[in-house]
Amino acid sequence: MPIQPDHYALVIGIDDYPSGDLRSLEHAKHDAEAFRNWLIDPGTGGGVPEENCKLILSRGELLLPNFDEIDDHLDRIIKLAEKSHANARRLYFYFSGHGMAARQLQTFLCLPRWSNRWRNAALDSQAYSTYLVNSGLFREIVFLFDCCRSYKPSVLGHGSSLG
């Protein structure tokens, strides 16, 4: 696909869960990098301009990314989309890592800080979806989650701080 200047992406890959309550993963970061590379490939991929594609990877024991870092990158994407003089067409939101669910149709995307004590250190995918849809900025929003959905009744994810 040729370069699509009105396409944007936020790609998150988390291998590192240092608390020991979730096993660290071996390929989530690699999968996120591979998806990003496909997104920015104008020949056989999505044609997303490299400056419109934000990649966030976990960084060992640092307990990053956190909520603020993810929202900062999302804010940069929104600002880029707002600056374009045409309507933003498509946003890709990709997450690879651990996932939890407290209810049947819900997915909480676990951040590196997640542990049995820090059960709410997760993104609420439904809240992010609602925020992005209600923003009216993107005509198409594609959510891709490469994660399990382990059942934990007392887990609660958080939506974006943007609004």
Side-chain angles (χ1 to χ4, degrees):
M1 180 181 291
I3 294 294
Q4 303 294 317
D6 55 353
H7 286 196
Y8 303 84
L10 180 63
V11 179
I12 303 165
I14 300 177
D15 276 342
D16 306 300
Y17 293 92
S19 75
D21 290 340
L22 291 175
R23 70 176 176 79
S24 287
L25 302 172
E26 296 179 12
H27 302 289
K29 292 192 315 189
H30 176 268
D31 292 348
E33 290 171 322
F35 186 68
R36 179 210 176 261
N37 291 340
W38 177 85
L39 282 170
I40 64 173
D41 186 331
T44 59
V48 176
E50 204 164 335
E51 62 274 11
N52 293 1
C53 187
K54 306 301 179 196
L55 175 66
I56 305 171
L57 302 174
S58 61
R59 300 184 291 283
E61 299 289 324
L62 295 177
L63 299 177
L64 296 171
N66 58 26
F67 297 105
D68 288 340
E69 182 178 358
I70 291 167
D71 280 351
D72 283 344
H73 282 282
L74 184 59
D75 188 44
R76 287 185 194 112
I77 289 170
I78 288 168
K79 286 176 182 173
L80 283 171
E82 289 172 341
K83 281 183 187 175
S84 72
H85 296 289
N87 286 337
R89 186 164 144 226
R90 182 177 298 155
L91 171 69
Y92 295 92
F93 187 112
Y94 175 91
F95 177 89
S96 185
H98 280 292
M100 296 285 171
R103 291 183 284 287
Q104 187 176 21
L105 297 175
Q106 196 167 39
T107 304
F108 298 130
L109 310 170
C110 298
L111 298 178
R113 170 162 250 159
W114 198 96
S115 69
N116 286 321
R117 175 168 286 129
W118 292 86
R119 287 177 177 250
N120 301 334
L123 305 177
D124 181 337
S125 64
Q126 191 171 25
Y128 271 83
S129 172
T130 299
Y131 166 69
L132 289 166
V133 168
N134 288 342
S135 77
L137 188 57
F138 304 96
R139 286 184 279 160
E140 301 170 0
I141 302 171
V142 179
F143 284 93
L144 299 161
F145 303 138
D146 180 5
C147 63
C148 56
R149 278 184 69 247
S150 300
Y151 177 72
K152 291 269 188 196
S154 59
V155 171
L156 178 66
H158 295 276
S160 175
S161 295
L162 298 170

